[in-house]
Amino acid sequence: MNVRPADPRSHADSEFHFSEQPQLSEELRMLREQVRRFVEKEVVPHGEAWEREGKIPREIYRRMGALGFLGIRHAAEYGGTDMGPLASMVWAEELGRSTFGGFTSSVLVHTDMSAVHITLRGTPEQKQKYLPAIIRGETICSIAVTEPDAGSDVAGLKTRARRDGDSWVINGSKMFITNAVYGDILIVAARTDPAAKGSRGISLFIVERTTPGISVTKLDKHGWLCSDTAEIGFRDVRIPAGNLLGEENRGFYGIMETFENERICIGGICAGESAKAIELTTNYVKNRQAFGGPLWNQQAVRLKLASLATKAAAARALAYHAAELVEAGKPCPREVSMVKALSPEVLHEVVHGCLQLHGGTGFMRGTPIERMVRDARVLTIGGGATEVMLEEVAKRM
C-alpha cells in the first residue's frame, strides 16, 4: 500500500530533536544549547579533517575548557561547575549529535571516564595538582583498565604494581586505551595484592604518560578514526607513592562507580547519534526523487523512520531515567546495565536502517551516515559488552 502523506509540506531540510526531558533544570537546558552551538560551529566543519589526520587538535580541548564544558563534573574550587549525571547525559547527547564518534569518545573519556576518578577519590594535593589543567583543557586524561586478556572482565586484569620504598613500580600492559597517544595523564588500574582473587587487591594510580618505561603503540581501528587508541606497555614504571589514587586494594569499586557514569554517557551518545541519523535520513528521503516523487512519499520509508525514531526515543528515556536515579543517589546497577545493553543496540539498528534508506550514497566514504555506521559498532562492546550487561541485568532479576 502506498499512500501519500496527508499534509505534504515543503521538503526543506529541518532538524529532528526528541522532546526535552521534563526533569531538566533551566541550567541544564542552557548547557544543551551552549554545547549544541559549539558542536555546530567548532566540530562539524572540521571533523572530516580530524578523521583524515587521525588526531584531534589540542586547541579544541582548550576552547571547551574556556567555555566550562570540561569541568561539569568537578568542584568549583578547581575551576569546575560541580554538576551531576544529568549534566553528563546532556553533554554526551549533544556531543553525539556531531556525528563524529571518535571526537565524542575522546572528549567523554577525558571528562567523564578518567578525570572524575581524581575528583571522586583524589587527595586534596592530587586535585590541586591535576584538576585545574584538566578542566582548562591543557592536560588530557585517559583511563587504562582494559588489557589484552581482561576487557569486560575487569576482575581478570594482570598488570601489577608493587611498593618499593617511596615509589610504586608498575609492570604489565593495557589495550584499546583512548587518549593514550596524545594525552598526558593515565588513570591506571593494577593489581597490588598478588594473593587476592578476582576483584580484590586492585588499586588505581595517576601515571604521567611520559614516565620512563611506558611504551605506546597506536592502533588502527574500524571506526572512531580521529580518536587515538593505543596499546600501552609498562616496564618497571616507577611513580611516586603519592600517586596512589584512592584506597589501596579498593580500586575495583572505584572502577565500577565510574563505569556507572560511563554507561549513562554511552546512553547519551546513542541518543544524540540516533537523533542526528534520523534527521539526516529524513531530510535525504524528502529530497531524493524516485518513483515519481520524493522517497518520503513511499509509505514503507516513512514507517521505517517512524519505527526507528520510536525505538530511539524509548532507549533515550531509559537513559535519562537511570541518570535521574544516580543523581538522586539511588542505587540502580540494573537500570544502568539496561541502558548499556539497550542503547547501543538500538543505535546500531538506527544507523543501519538509515544507511539502507540512503541507498548507494550511504555506502560511500565521506558521507556522515557511512561514518556513523562504522563508529556505532564499538559501542556494543566498549564499556561492557551487551552480553555482559544483560548478565548483570539477569543477576538482579
Side-chain angles (χ1 to χ4, degrees):
M1 184 177 179
N2 181 12
V3 181
R4 290 181 178 272
D7 181 21
R9 292 172 290 182
S10 168
H11 294 326
D13 287 0
S14 60
E15 291 188 345
F16 175 85
H17 302 288
F18 294 114
S19 299
E20 188 59 277
Q21 298 299 302
Q23 71 269 40
L24 294 189
S25 64
E26 186 61 30
E27 183 182 32
L28 290 176
R29 294 168 189 264
M30 288 177 61
L31 173 65
R32 184 186 301 287
E33 290 304 317
Q34 290 167 352
V35 177
R36 185 171 295 173
R37 287 197 299 269
F38 176 83
V39 165
E40 291 172 353
K41 181 180 178 182
E42 302 286 349
V43 178
V44 174
H46 308 293
E48 282 289 357
W50 302 344
E51 289 276 294
R52 291 191 297 271
E53 295 163 6
K55 184 178 181 180
I56 300 166
R58 295 182 72 95
E59 175 59 27
I60 202 73
Y61 283 90
R62 290 190 284 270
R63 292 181 192 173
M64 288 186 287
L67 291 169
F69 297 152
L70 304 184
I72 61 175
R73 298 305 299 273
H74 305 293
E77 63 184 297
Y78 304 108
T81 52
D82 202 15
M83 302 171 81
L86 279 169
S88 289
M89 179 69 191
V90 170
W91 167 235
E93 186 175 10
E94 291 306 317
L95 291 177
R97 286 185 62 88
S98 72
T99 78
F100 291 97
F103 168 78
T104 300
S105 65
S106 289
V107 173
L108 287 170
V109 163
H110 174 79
T111 59
D112 283 77
M113 302 172 197
S114 57
V116 288
H117 280 285
I118 300 176
T119 282
L120 293 173
R121 279 163 282 281
T123 64
E125 293 77 18
Q126 289 170 340
K127 293 177 182 179
Q128 189 58 57
K129 180 177 181 180
Y130 293 110
L131 286 181
I134 287 171
I135 292 168
R136 291 194 299 266
E138 297 166 2
T139 295
I140 299 173
C141 206
S142 179
I143 178 75
V145 174
T146 301
E147 298 184 358
D149 297 316
S152 295
D153 180 17
V154 176
L157 66 82
K158 298 176 182 178
T159 296
R160 299 292 178 88
R162 62 176 176 84
R163 186 67 183 265
D164 183 22
D166 60 356
S167 301
W168 287 95
V169 180
I170 303 175
N171 282 280
S173 63
K174 299 293 179 180
M175 181 62 82
F176 311 132
I177 307 304
T178 299
N179 294 346
V181 180
Y182 305 116
D184 306 292
I185 301 295
L186 303 167
I187 307 300
V188 179
R191 194 168 292 281
T192 44
D193 182 355
K197 302 297 182 181
S199 61
R200 298 179 176 86
I202 295 172
S203 302
L204 294 171
F205 299 90
I206 302 173
V207 182
E208 297 181 14
R209 186 181 55 83
T210 55
T211 305
I214 294 178
S215 61
V216 178
T217 304
K218 190 173 183 180
L219 301 173
D220 189 16
K221 305 189 297 296
H222 173 61
W224 284 5
L225 299 185
C226 65
S227 71
D228 56 298
T229 304
E231 180 178 7
I232 308 175
F234 299 88
R235 185 173 180 180
D236 293 331
V237 174
R238 187 174 293 270
I239 61 173
N243 280 32
L244 174 69
L245 183 57
E247 187 178 347
E248 184 177 342
N249 295 327
R250 298 279 296 177
F252 180 82
Y253 304 100
I255 294 168
M256 290 299 104
E257 181 183 7
T258 306
F259 267 173
E260 188 174 75
N261 193 65
E262 176 178 351
R263 288 161 184 167
I264 287 172
C265 285
I266 290 173
I269 294 171
C270 293
E273 291 191 4
S274 293
K276 195 64 179 180
I278 291 166
E279 174 188 311
L280 291 169
T281 307
T282 301
N283 286 327
Y284 178 80
V285 299
K286 285 185 175 182
N287 288 283
R288 175 74 165 93
Q289 299 293 312
F291 308 108
L295 276 178
W296 177 254
N297 287 355
Q298 304 299 315
Q299 186 181 55
V301 171
R302 299 196 305 275
L303 298 189
K304 179 65 173 179
L305 280 168
S307 176
L308 295 176
T310 300
K311 293 176 182 179
R316 178 180 185 259
L318 177 61
Y320 268 101
H321 172 62
E324 191 173 25
L325 290 175
V326 176
E327 182 125 341
K330 298 178 181 178
C332 56
R334 182 183 65 177
E335 286 77 8
V336 171
S337 297
M338 286 177 172
V339 170
K340 180 58 183 67
L342 177 65
S343 293
E345 296 289 348
V346 169
L347 173 63
H348 197 255
E349 181 179 354
V350 167
V351 294
H352 275 267
C354 287
L355 187 149
Q356 181 73 14
L357 294 178
H358 275 77
T361 299
F363 195 62
M364 297 295 103
R365 283 292 176 104
T367 59
I369 201 67
E370 183 274 338
R371 182 182 62 252
M372 293 175 79
V373 167
R374 285 186 286 109
D375 287 350
R377 190 65 189 88
V378 73
L379 290 172
T380 64
I381 302 168
T386 300
E387 295 77 9
V388 176
M389 293 297 95
L390 290 173
E391 183 64 22
E392 290 298 313
V393 174
K395 288 176 184 178
R396 293 164 173 84
M397 291 175 65

